[in-house]
Amino acid sequence: MDKFVIKKATIKSKISPVDERTESEEISSLEEMLIKKSKTELNNVCPLADCFTWKKIQSKGLDCDYILLFSKREADDFFQQLETDIVYFSGDLNRVKVYGKWHNIPRKQVTYGDEGLTYTFSGITLSPKPWNAVLDCIRNKITSATGMSFNFVLINRYKDGNDHIGEHRDDERELVPHSAIASVSFGACRDFLFRHRDARCKNPVCSIKPVKMELQHGSLLVMNYPTNVYWYHSLPVRKKVLSPRINLTFRNICL
């Protein structure tokens, strides 16, 4: 994945895309951006800006930003709190419709969000549970780091490496057009795979290579527009992973 990554320091509260650069240009630019600014100046822009460095992941139509948003201790605490406080869907709400047939999903899932919202995908319509304290804390930290606000979150729990999610795009019609999706991961580090829509079939019309990332404990991945127009993503089976992972994808749903 390294060739798709450009490291950059966060000095603005809202993420803005940067162009791909050569390795020498990247190093030079990074050195310039890492020149220390006073705490007062940084905090006036973003209260978390002096804490971490963003990585920009780019390819044709792919625009993402990645960061370790939470410290190890914070991530451990949030993981345990989520394990205690989150109540997942069961029964019919734990199924998806694929090619006209219903299947139990290979993970647990639930939605939380503002009152009155609904979200439909894979043949099911989900109404969110009301926000709780731990989700508000996570959402507030994302907003502080990115300048983006969200009114809905889809939570997936993977008990081990056998639980997974297949290739899909987050392009449902309820989403606010051109809005970003913020994906937070806690627990086991898992591979996350992007594939361009024109390179997925048996006879692809282009040779765009897939992009693989490792989503670490306490990380934030922001998928900016137009990523979900052109790229599918998945969390493949990894049988050697024996511990659980919780993923929260924060979104903006039309009212």
Side-chain angles (χ1 to χ4, degrees):
M1 187 195 77
D2 289 347
K3 66 181 178 180
F4 299 98
V5 172
I6 299 171
K7 295 183 180 180
K8 61 174 183 172
T10 302
I11 58 174
K12 294 184 179 180
S13 60
K14 188 171 183 179
I15 300 168
S16 57
V18 298
D19 296 329
E20 292 184 277
R21 304 167 184 152
T22 65
E23 184 175 355
S24 60
E25 289 172 335
E26 176 186 333
I27 294 171
S28 176
S29 176
L30 179 61
E31 289 174 346
E32 292 173 6
M33 286 189 292
L34 290 179
I35 294 174
K36 288 189 176 180
K37 295 180 178 286
S38 68
K39 280 191 174 182
T40 302
E41 182 181 355
L42 281 172
N43 288 337
N44 285 338
V45 180
C46 175
L48 299 179
D50 55 349
C51 300
F52 36 62
T53 301
W54 288 94
K55 293 181 179 179
K56 171 68 74 174
I57 297 94
Q58 290 182 311
S59 186
K60 184 178 180 180
L62 178 72
D63 181 7
C64 296
D65 295 281
Y66 179 80
I67 199 171
L68 279 177
L69 182 60
F70 301 92
S71 68
K72 172 66 164 55
R73 182 174 179 178
E74 286 178 316
D76 289 345
D77 288 345
F78 276 120
F79 179 83
Q80 292 303 324
Q81 199 64 46
L82 290 167
E83 288 283 70
T84 300
D85 292 355
I86 298 303
V87 179
Y88 293 92
F89 290 142
S90 58
D92 289 344
L93 292 178
N94 226 29
R95 302 195 302 162
V96 294
K97 196 173 187 179
V98 181
Y99 297 116
K101 295 184 178 181
W102 288 97
H103 303 269
N104 292 326
I105 63 172
R107 61 192 177 278
K108 290 183 177 180
Q109 72 177 12
V110 67
T111 58
Y112 285 76
D114 292 356
E115 185 178 359
L117 299 177
T118 59
Y119 187 62
T120 302
F121 71 101
S122 299
I124 58 172
T125 297
L126 303 175
S127 296
K129 300 175 184 288
W131 295 102
N132 61 25
V134 63
L135 295 176
D136 273 335
C137 286
I138 296 169
R139 180 171 59 151
N140 289 341
K141 188 154 185 179
I142 295 171
T143 296
S144 295
T146 65
M148 302 174 185
S149 58
F150 300 93
N151 62 9
F152 184 92
V153 63
L154 172 65
I155 306 174
N156 284 299
R157 185 186 187 275
Y158 304 84
K159 70 179 184 302
D160 55 31
N162 289 303
D163 279 6
H164 61 281
I165 188 167
E167 288 190 336
H168 66 284
R169 291 181 293 172
D170 295 326
D171 59 353
E172 287 73 20
R173 62 185 179 182
E174 291 96 338
L175 292 171
V176 172
H178 297 190
S179 60
I181 294 176
S183 174
V184 178
S185 299
F186 296 109
C189 181
R190 292 286 296 268
D191 288 341
F192 190 74
L193 187 64
F194 284 106
R195 283 213 297 171
H196 194 278
R197 67 182 186 184
D198 296 330
R200 297 175 64 242
C201 55
K202 292 182 179 179
N203 298 305
V205 298
C206 65
S207 58
I208 300 174
K209 293 183 178 180
V211 177
K212 185 174 75 171
M213 304 180 60
E214 289 185 348
L215 298 182
Q216 300 180 57
H217 182 42
S219 65
L220 167 63
L221 175 69
V222 180
M223 292 183 282
N224 302 303
Y225 180 83
T227 298
N228 276 294
V229 175
Y230 299 104
W231 290 78
Y232 285 73
H233 56 271
S234 64
L235 192 84
V237 171
R238 292 292 183 262
K239 293 186 179 295
K240 292 183 179 180
V241 176
L242 303 178
S243 53
R245 170 183 181 261
I246 300 174
N247 176 250
L248 306 91
T249 48
F250 289 84
R251 308 151 190 255
N252 272 310
I253 304 296
C254 297
L255 297 174

